Amino acid sequence: LVGAGHRLWWLGEFAPIEGVRFPVYLATSRDAREVVSSGGYVAALTTAPLIFLTPSRAAAGPALEALLAGGRVAWMVLEDELEWDGEAAFRARRPLADAVRPFLERHAPATIEPDSSFRIDADTFTVWHDGKSCPLGNTVGFRALRRLARRPGVYVSTEQLLDNAWGGATRSKSAVQKTISGLRKQLEEHGLHEVTIDGSQQGHYALKISANGKR
């Protein structure tokens, strides 16, 4: 708990890359005036850029806008960024780096990659693109997509996919075709329409990632 009279918590530091750290604070009050007061309190504690979390947008208004105006404080709303997975846990709708992208562009431009809108999270077995996620689980489909994502646009042979994703456990090309078909369906169902798997070259597949909605 940070500061007497403030329902304010220091959660730790967000480190997008080695050597770059931003303190993260959470204000748990739903009272707008108290939230703004908490934000002003932590902003006065340090001159360093920081990330300020609130449960909802209840604090939105001129007072909070004034606090954020300098660009030193990044505001993130948990109800916008987290969703209940129905199994006693929350999951992020997008990577934290995407949620505070303008903040990072200002204070840590080295963390912004040209194609950072597409990511594969090996810890949660999830594919991200343009703020949308597609959970694949620890499956052969995830391993196949991860192999294709090593070099987007480059065709990978069925034999290479069998070696990398199946580990030689099967030599069935029909298994690859079925898996690729399932991946395409999952990506479409989760709204990742710009992430496609091209099989136009016989016996080969390539991951294609379109920009700005253009295929």
Side-chain angles (χ1 to χ4, degrees), residues 179-190:
T179 297
I180 295 298
S181 178
L183 282 172
R184 288 169 174 156
K185 182 178 180 181
Q186 286 178 283
L187 292 169
E188 281 290 329
E189 288 178 346
H190 285 82

Side-chain angles (χ1 to χ4, degrees), residues 24-155:
V24 181
Y25 296 90
L26 169 65
T28 57
S29 174
R30 290 186 176 274
D31 180 82
R33 287 178 297 180
E34 188 172 339
V35 169
V36 172
S37 175
S38 296
Y41 179 81
V42 294
L45 287 177
T46 176
T47 58
L50 59 93
I51 298 173
F52 184 56
L53 311 180
T54 61
S56 70
R57 292 189 171 273
L64 185 60
E65 289 176 6
L67 177 66
L68 303 174
R72 188 167 64 87
V73 178
W75 180 35
M76 196 169 81
V77 180
L78 295 182
E79 68 179 7
D80 292 346
E81 302 299 335
L82 301 178
E83 62 183 2
W84 183 251
D85 70 359
E87 298 181 0
F90 287 94
R91 69 175 182 178
R93 289 191 170 96
R94 56 179 175 170
L96 177 58
D98 286 350
V100 294
R101 187 178 180 87
F103 173 81
L104 291 178
E105 289 174 343
R106 182 184 184 96
H107 298 289
T111 66
I112 303 298
E113 301 175 5
D115 192 27
S116 61
S117 62
F118 176 80
R119 289 192 181 92
I120 291 184
D121 189 333
D123 293 325
T124 61
F125 308 106
T126 301
V127 180
W128 293 85
H129 183 255
D130 198 24
K132 299 174 184 176
S133 64
C134 178
L136 297 174
N138 187 12
T139 62
V140 68
F142 175 80
R143 294 192 293 274
L145 187 64
R146 193 178 185 187
R147 172 61 183 88
L148 294 173
R150 289 182 191 174
R151 298 182 66 190
V154 175
Y155 288 92

